């Protein structure tokens, strides 16, 4: 309790970021680029069928247009989503489900 006329100040809020060397090292990993693969389907083909592919060939996939799209990093599933069209006419993936995070 403060004496007459004195005010007490709350302790300064700790900074949100840990500025220790270890924390800086951990944060540096966030800038490392990774390749995200978007998998829309698969088809098993023989080598002879693969060699017969030419411009205009159609490869039927084992999935339907409304099936979820898989997002993979290093062949590990990280999320699922659905294909959408962007405002500029490109394709994008709207995330609908985040994969379980593993401690591997």
């Amino acid at each position: 309790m403060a004496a007459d006329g004195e005010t007490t100040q709350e302790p300064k809020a700790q900074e949100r970021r840990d500025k220790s060397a270890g924390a800086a090292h951990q944060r540096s990993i966030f800038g490392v680029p990774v390749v995200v693969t978007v998998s829309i389907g698969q088809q098993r083909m023989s080598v002879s069928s693969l060699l017969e592919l030419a411009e205009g060939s159609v490869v039927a996939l084992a999935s339907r247009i409304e099936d979820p799209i898989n997002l993979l990093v290093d062949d590990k599933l990280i999320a699922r989503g659905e294909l959408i069209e962007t405002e500029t006419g490109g394709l994008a993936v709207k995330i609908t489900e985040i994969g379980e995070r593993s401690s591997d």
Side-chain angles (χ1 to χ4, degrees):
M1 196 159 202
D4 290 338
E6 291 181 34
T7 59
T8 58
Q9 291 183 340
E10 294 292 323
K12 285 187 178 181
Q14 291 189 358
E15 291 187 34
R16 292 181 187 208
R17 285 198 174 162
D18 184 353
K19 294 196 180 207
S20 68
H25 178 69
Q26 286 178 332
R27 281 193 311 276
S28 69
I29 195 80
F30 294 127
V32 174
V34 297
V35 175
V36 177
T37 302
V38 177
S39 175
I40 60 171
Q42 297 179 344
Q43 181 58 273
R44 189 174 193 99
M45 300 175 73
S46 67
V47 173
S48 62
S49 296
L50 186 63
L51 292 173
E52 291 174 4
L53 293 177
E55 192 173 318
S57 294
V58 174
V59 177
L61 301 176
S63 56
R64 297 184 326 262
I65 193 81
E66 59 274 349
D67 287 347
I69 305 304
N70 293 326
L71 275 78
L72 305 129
V73 171
D74 195 25
D75 290 328
K76 290 183 174 60
L77 180 68
I78 61 163
R80 286 197 171 90
E82 57 189 37
L83 282 179
I84 61 169
E85 187 174 356
T86 64
E87 292 177 8
T88 60
L91 288 178
V93 177
K94 179 181 178 182
I95 304 298
T96 58
E97 177 184 340
I98 299 293
E100 290 186 31
R101 299 178 194 257
S102 69
S103 57
D104 297 355

